[in-house]
Amino acid sequence: MRKIHAVPLGVLGAGAATFGYASLIERNWFRLRRFDVPVLPPGRPPVKILHISDAHLTPGRSRLIHWVRSLDALEPDLVVNTGDTLSHRDAIGPFLDALGPLLDRPGVFVYGSNDLYSPVLKNPLRYIWRTSKSDYGRRRREPDLPYRELGSSLQAAGWLDLNNRIGRLKVGELDIEFGGIDDSHINRDRYDKIAGPVDPQADVHLGIMHSPEPRNLDRFTADGYDLLLAGHTHGGQVCVPFYGALATNCGIDRPRVKGLHRHRGSWLHVSAGLGTSPKAPMRFCCPPEASLLTLVPRR
């Protein structure tokens, strides 16, 4: 009888230990990923882009706040935030505190669904066979998070709002053209508003979005964008060793759920993100991250 009881108790103990590790340790085990991206014209000096995404910030996430603030020491030339910044009505102040001196650097941003809608409790296993896109329907028509105030605060610091917009910035010696779209996960993307060939007079062209939906990636690439940046996937958030992500929560394929890859004629970087929904506060085999992308001349 003791052996019969020992097996389920052992499984229960292993499950509790795994949950404790995923929610208390790995969720706060922040990593910086570094990539060189060959997209610049020959002879141009390198430019460093800090890509942050999916903070899902709530007041009190002091480790996340302090770690993001420390990234200014990398001296990035440009900061790109690809959305899902908020998970609480009172998170704008803590997020601006997290950015700190990064706000004094050139920056651009788009929104994610969780900048508009507060998190709700869901069965996370559903992501294996469906995305969460259908969760944003008739019951959640009116945003309940202060996304406009978030945008106004970032714009007041000089950052570009790229939600369904074209923008331009001088970053170091580079003239960078941006095309951005709002979140396709909640049908706010309007690519037609930015559609058309990129300006050949710009040195480099960046496409900015929250969710890396292939239909939008294809249009960015067809219009001539050199590098596409997205988030949303959380890198799968809970991954299986030697297999990887179980789900992507969008149309992107599993092998490209995070990191730097090619998409037709463009480069694509998908961030695994900084946080998690407070309703699913765990990560497993997928630490939270920010990325430093160094743009270098084409080979």
Side-chain angles (χ1 to χ4, degrees):
M1 290 296 293
R2 289 180 180 177
K3 290 183 179 179
I4 292 174
H5 290 300
V7 172
L9 288 174
V11 172
L12 183 63
T18 299
F19 178 81
Y21 164 79
S23 60
L24 298 176
I25 297 177
E26 186 165 323
R27 181 172 174 244
N28 294 298
W29 193 3
F30 302 103
R31 303 287 185 87
L32 178 71
R33 293 162 65 87
R34 297 173 184 262
F35 299 97
D36 288 347
V37 191
V39 294
L40 299 185
R44 293 304 179 95
V47 168
K48 294 186 292 185
I49 297 176
L50 177 63
H51 182 189
I52 60 175
S53 194
D54 297 273
H56 291 279
L57 195 61
T58 56
R61 290 295 312 275
S62 57
R63 291 183 181 178
L64 189 158
I65 291 168
H66 293 155
W67 190 78
V68 171
R69 193 177 181 91
S70 74
L71 297 176
D72 185 66
L74 299 170
E75 298 185 340
D77 301 296
L78 172 70
V79 184
V80 175
N81 178 18
T82 49
D84 271 8
T85 298
L86 306 178
S87 277
H88 193 281
R89 293 189 60 84
D90 299 327
I92 294 177
F95 182 67
L96 297 178
D97 183 51
L99 292 178
L102 289 169
L103 283 171
D104 296 328
R105 301 183 181 277
V108 301
F109 68 94
V110 292
Y111 296 130
S113 59
N114 290 133
D115 292 318
L116 284 76
Y117 300 99
S118 58
V120 295
L121 189 63
K122 308 172 186 176
N123 176 6
L125 294 178
R126 293 188 306 170
Y127 291 117
I128 296 176
W129 65 83
R130 49 159 285 191
T131 74
S132 61
K133 186 170 185 175
S134 60
D135 296 339
Y136 299 93
R138 294 182 178 180
R139 295 181 181 179
R140 307 207 76 189
R141 283 186 174 180
E142 294 299 322
D144 61 345
L145 289 179
Y147 72 100
R148 291 190 178 91
E149 290 86 342
L150 172 65
S152 296
S153 297
L154 295 176
Q155 287 180 284
W159 285 26
L160 292 184
D161 178 349
L162 293 177
N163 289 287
N164 301 320
R165 296 177 181 176
I166 297 287
R168 200 100 167 216
L169 281 178
K170 187 77 171 179
V171 178
E173 298 180 12
L174 285 185
D175 176 15
I176 301 182
E177 183 182 30
F178 300 89
I181 52 173
D182 207 333
D183 189 8
S184 59
H185 203 60
I186 48 176
N187 297 318
R188 290 175 62 97
D189 56 319
R190 302 290 184 269
Y191 194 92
D192 286 345
K193 290 187 175 182
I194 67 166
V198 297
D199 184 352
Q201 297 302 312
D203 295 308
V204 67
H205 313 88
L206 304 185
I208 312 297
M209 72 208 84
H210 177 63
S211 180
E213 289 293 348
R215 60 183 171 81
N216 286 322
L217 298 178
D218 289 346
R219 297 191 72 178
F220 275 114
T221 297
D223 282 340
Y225 287 87
D226 303 295
L227 171 62
L228 316 178
L229 293 96
H232 175 68
T233 66
H234 295 192
Q237 188 167 324
V238 175
C239 297
V240 176
F242 309 110
Y243 179 79
L246 296 174
T248 68
N249 198 25
C250 66
I252 197 73
D253 48 298
R254 283 194 318 102
R256 296 189 297 166
V257 71
K258 64 180 178 180
L260 184 68
H261 302 276
R262 296 291 282 177
H263 186 81
R264 302 182 186 275
S266 304
W267 288 95
L268 167 66
H269 180 259
V270 180
S271 173
L274 291 161
T276 67
S277 166
K279 304 297 184 180
M282 66 183 76
R283 281 180 175 261
F284 188 75
C285 293
C286 187
E289 68 177 40
S291 297
L292 190 69
L293 309 174
T294 301
L295 307 189
V296 298
R298 303 182 187 93
R299 298 180 180 89

